[in-house]
Amino acid sequence: MEYIPIRVSDIIRQVNRDIYLPAIQRELVWGMDRIERLFDSIMADFPIGSFLFWLLEQKNKNEWPVYEFIRDFDGESPHNPPANMAGITKDIKLVLDGQQRITSLLIGLRGKYRYFYYHWREARLSLNLLKPPVPNDDNPEELTYGFAFRENTEPNGEEPQLWYLVGRILDFEDAEDAKSDMKSSLEDLSEDQRENANKLIGRLHNRIHTTLVGNYYQENSQDYDKVLQVFVRANSAGQPLEYSDLLLATATAKWETLDARKEIHDFTDSINELGNGYSFGKDFVLKGCLYLSENLPIQYKVKNFTKTNLRTIEGNWDKIKESVSATVRLISRFGFSSKNVVAPLALLPIAFYIMNRGNSSFDTSSKAEDADAQVAIRKWFIFSTLKNAFGGSSDTTLTRLRELLKTCGPTSPFPADLLYKSLGIEPRLDDAEIDRILEYGYQGRYTNLVLSLLYPDRDWKDAVFHEDHIFPKSEFQLRALKKRGYDEAKIQAYMSSFNILTNLQLLTDSENLSKNATPFDKWIQTRDAAFRKRHLIPDSIKLDFDSFDEFSKARRIMIVKSLKALV
């Protein structure tokens, strides 16, 4: 196996001209910190690994979807654009291993990174020319060189700063020219600072233009199955891949009339925008493609994505989209969002049932039989999630449920009892399960789900709800509790109860903002009786901080009663 040495400037010059991405590759997943660390490694002469290219002969270039590398990353639209191969009359290279690193080099040297932090921001990679390159022996994770993505080059903070856009180094073939270009900016600096800046510019130029930073191996086979195997092995120890990325690539190559990659990306984005927002991945959509195409195996295996099976999925694509969309809209009406859908696979049997009903607007139907089915679906989804019915061998579970649902037709009620029996669960919570639920902590995996169940009559449409401490978290400090004169037993009772379900509620944005850290006994006076009833606030006890323990015990009784009423 022959490895060929390569420079960073060689890579940048060839990207999106000679080097492209195959559909096999996933999108960029590295954040700005990983990109900064990559450039730090290059400057510090650390190895950055080898690359694996696939030579795609010109005669075969139209048989495989090819994509461009992203130069300007946009967190709002992170998808790689298709490459236009029209007019390309030469062989090209497709990257099988090294996509994250090459994309990072391109963004750092030629592009920018758009991300959301309170609002959307654009940042470019810069190097602080005044930071001495001294490793921190106490913290090896700290960067040796001052690389940082910044919105501008203005200094901030107390340490000396002169920010240099890293991409400027590409404008100069000679390091001395790069230094001369910065001469006027260095005039007012001390001699030591000028020397440090010039050394860094020279070193950066050398590492980008001269140093052989890595090697690449080129696979010349035109056998796609072999290439896929090479890709899987090359990436097994690198950036972890969702298996769906490989399957999506296979699907992309074998759909006849639709661009599968675009269809699946766009559809995933569309369902994530429903209601108050979700975070479904491509793996969920691909799993749905298999599950909702009758008689197809649902396991994530390349052999299941045969040409015949993919043609079946493509022919069923409109029904798949309708059924999954109706399912997500339905759970959104029930108050489920990205915060409390902790078992997305439980949605697939619901989507299969809706598909067999043949009514894509099932989620908005007010017919009596549809309303009954909707109620049964909500209850089943709640209990199957709370009882972790889809943990473990989920493929076996899903296949078994699909067999039971195959007999459903346009007027069939939702067969909840059959599904409960198949899952081996009861549609109720026993005392032990309720005791466990009551210990769920703030922002725990199931906490938001359980809290949402305490508001059966709430209108969830177009509203964002936040987990909130009823008695403000800020009041539960050991020093503050001791200052109040509480003994150890009372302090222990308070500290063990303030961060669990009995002291949590769901508030809207405006409610949460108005409450903030206001003492609860004062804030509750601004609420009406309906609010108290909705949030299970006990009426029979005092609501001052000294009575928190009594409040917790009284509200626990109310929550238990509410959870048992779910039946």
Side-chain angles (χ1 to χ4, degrees):
M1 180 179 289
E2 181 183 1
Y3 279 91
I4 303 167
I6 194 168
R7 298 173 298 183
V8 171
S9 57
D10 297 330
I11 296 172
I12 297 300
R13 186 172 57 253
Q14 295 181 61
V15 165
N16 294 338
R17 294 180 180 178
D18 302 293
I19 299 175
Y20 296 90
L21 289 171
I24 292 174
Q25 281 286 10
R26 73 186 308 176
E27 297 161 347
L28 178 71
V29 296
W30 279 19
M32 292 182 289
D33 59 329
R34 294 289 298 272
I35 300 175
E36 293 163 359
R37 186 164 296 280
L38 175 66
F39 277 84
D40 192 71
S41 296
I42 291 171
M43 284 285 277
D45 288 331
F46 291 141
I48 64 168
S50 57
F51 303 93
L52 177 60
F53 298 158
W54 170 28
L55 181 72
L56 183 62
E57 295 177 3
Q58 192 271 334
K59 65 182 179 181
N60 294 326
K61 69 181 177 63
N62 292 324
E63 294 186 22
W64 307 106
V66 176
Y67 293 82
E68 291 186 353
F69 284 84
I70 288 178
R71 186 181 76 175
D72 297 324
F73 177 81
D74 186 346
E76 229 176 349
S77 179
H79 310 315
N80 294 79
N84 183 2
M85 291 288 102
I88 301 294
T89 57
K90 61 182 179 181
D91 299 344
I92 60 173
K93 300 185 188 79
L94 302 183
V95 175
L96 298 182
D97 185 31
Q99 191 265 101
Q100 302 293 323
R101 286 167 287 158
I102 292 175
T103 302
S104 297
L105 292 173
L106 185 62
I107 291 171
L109 288 163
R110 288 287 193 207
K112 54 184 180 288
Y113 199 106
R114 184 169 182 259
Y115 66 102
F116 188 85
Y117 184 71
Y118 291 103
H119 60 83
W120 285 102
R121 307 166 185 264
E122 281 189 358
R124 296 178 186 272
L125 185 64
S126 296
L127 172 64
N128 183 6
L129 297 180
L130 303 187
K131 179 185 183 300
V134 179
N136 185 345
D137 293 334
D138 294 329
N139 182 13
E141 292 297 309
E142 184 178 303
L143 299 184
T144 300
Y145 294 83
F147 287 104
F149 273 92
R150 296 176 57 85
E151 295 179 70
N152 55 60
T153 56
E154 295 299 317
N156 63 341
E158 297 180 358
E159 69 277 4
Q161 297 171 51
L162 177 60
W163 292 101
Y164 181 82
L165 285 174
V166 174
R168 287 178 64 177
I169 209 69
L170 292 176
D171 296 337
F172 305 98
E173 292 186 6
D174 190 282
E176 293 307 311
D177 291 336
K179 295 176 186 178
S180 295
D181 179 64
M182 286 294 293
K183 188 173 181 180
S184 61
S185 300
L186 305 181
E187 287 178 349
D188 297 332
L189 301 178
S190 68
E191 184 176 345
D192 287 344
Q193 289 177 325
R194 285 198 300 273
E195 182 180 358
N196 190 80
N198 282 316
K199 280 184 177 179
L200 290 180
I201 293 171
R203 189 175 185 86
L204 178 64
H205 188 280
N206 177 272
R207 297 307 182 270
I208 299 301
H209 289 278
T210 306
T211 302
L212 297 168
V213 297
N215 303 284
Y216 75 89
Y217 169 75
Q218 183 169 289
E219 172 59 55
N220 296 320
S221 174
Q222 301 301 292
D223 181 348
Y224 185 72
D225 287 330
K226 179 183 178 184
V227 170
L228 187 61
Q229 291 177 20
V230 170
F231 176 77
V232 172
R233 294 189 183 196
N235 281 275
S236 61
Q239 175 65 44
L241 285 160
E242 294 178 50
Y243 203 58
S244 60
D245 289 289
L246 303 182
L247 303 187
L248 179 59
T250 308
T252 304
K254 295 178 182 177
W255 279 25
E256 279 188 329
T257 59
L258 298 174
D259 180 343
R261 186 183 179 109
K262 184 177 187 305
E263 289 287 329
I264 291 173
H265 277 310
D266 289 351
F267 180 61
T268 304
D269 290 344
S270 73
I271 59 175
N272 282 335
E273 291 171 359
L274 293 174
N276 290 322
Y278 295 90
S279 53
F280 298 112
K282 300 185 298 291
D283 52 347
F284 171 75
V285 174
L286 276 174
K287 194 80 165 179
C289 288
L290 289 168
Y291 196 74
L292 298 175
S293 298
E294 197 166 348
N295 299 320
L296 291 191
I298 68 170
Q299 291 79 15
Y300 273 165
K301 293 182 179 178
V302 174
K303 68 178 183 180
N304 291 336
F305 281 76
T306 63
K307 194 169 186 178
T308 301
N309 289 352
L310 287 164
R311 295 290 185 267
T312 299
I313 291 172
E314 185 178 13
N316 199 35
W317 180 233
D318 286 340
K319 286 186 177 180
I320 292 170
K321 290 192 294 183
E322 289 175 356
S323 304
V324 173
S325 295
T327 301
V328 177
R329 290 196 304 268
L330 181 64
I331 65 164
S332 177
R333 281 185 55 209
F334 294 155
F336 295 103
S337 65
S338 60
K339 293 182 179 179
N340 53 28
V341 176
V342 297
L345 292 181
L347 298 176
L348 296 183
I350 300 172
F352 191 79
Y353 169 77
I354 291 176
M355 185 175 70
N356 284 354
R357 290 282 300 244
N359 179 8
S360 60
S361 59
F362 169 80
D363 57 297
T364 58
S365 174
S366 58
K367 293 180 181 178
E369 60 270 24
D370 291 343
D372 289 342
Q374 292 165 10
V375 171
I377 287 172
R378 179 180 186 272
K379 181 178 173 182
W380 178 82
F381 182 64
I382 289 169
F383 283 112
S384 62
T385 300
L386 284 178
K387 291 172 181 275
N388 197 28
F390 289 88
S393 303
S394 57
D395 285 342
T396 303
T397 301
L398 285 168
T399 301
R400 197 166 63 243
L401 299 185
R402 185 171 68 173
E403 287 300 313
L404 293 174
L405 292 164
K406 280 182 179 180
T407 58
C408 294
T411 60
S412 300
F414 185 71
D417 289 341
L418 286 176
L419 302 186
Y420 288 132
K421 184 176 180 180
S422 179
L423 292 172
I425 63 175
E426 294 286 337
R428 62 183 58 83
L429 297 171
D430 60 32
D431 291 340
E433 289 170 327
I434 290 176
D435 286 342
R436 173 172 50 83
I437 287 171
L438 287 166
E439 296 302 316
Y440 286 165
Y442 177 65
Q443 293 189 343
R445 186 182 183 199
Y446 292 93
T447 305
N448 194 282
L449 169 61
V450 175
L451 284 172
S452 69
L453 302 181
L454 304 181
Y455 302 85
D457 300 321
R458 170 156 267 180
D459 180 7
W460 302 94
K461 186 179 180 182
D462 300 328
V464 176
F465 293 89
H466 301 274
E467 289 180 36
D468 171 71
H469 290 85
I470 298 174
F471 282 77
K473 181 180 179 181
S474 59
E475 296 185 357
F476 293 86
Q477 306 295 328
L478 281 175
R479 181 182 299 175
L481 297 179
K482 289 179 180 178
K483 191 174 181 180
R484 286 177 177 269
Y486 297 165
D487 60 25
E488 287 300 320
K490 188 164 186 172
I491 290 175
Q492 179 60 36
Y494 274 45
M495 295 302 292
S496 64
S497 301
F498 84 92
N499 208 36
I500 60 175
L501 205 67
T502 50
N503 191 40
L504 300 176
Q505 62 185 343
L506 293 181
L507 294 183
T508 63
D509 277 326
S510 59
E511 288 174 332
N512 200 28
L513 185 62
S514 73
K515 181 174 179 289
N516 201 2
T518 306
F520 182 62
D521 58 336
K522 301 227 181 326
W523 185 78
I524 194 63
Q525 294 175 21
T526 67
R527 306 292 107 177
D528 58 19
F531 179 93
R532 292 174 176 243
K533 181 177 180 182
R534 184 166 63 250
H535 291 274
L536 302 181
I537 305 300
D539 282 327
S540 57
I541 62 170
K542 293 181 180 179
L543 298 177
D544 60 306
F545 192 75
D546 289 338
S547 304
F548 173 71
D549 195 29
E550 292 78 8
F551 167 85
S552 296
K553 292 173 181 176
R555 193 163 187 261
R556 179 186 180 96
I557 293 171
M558 297 175 75
I559 292 174
V560 170
K561 183 178 178 181
S562 182
L563 291 175
K564 287 188 174 181
L566 290 174
V567 179

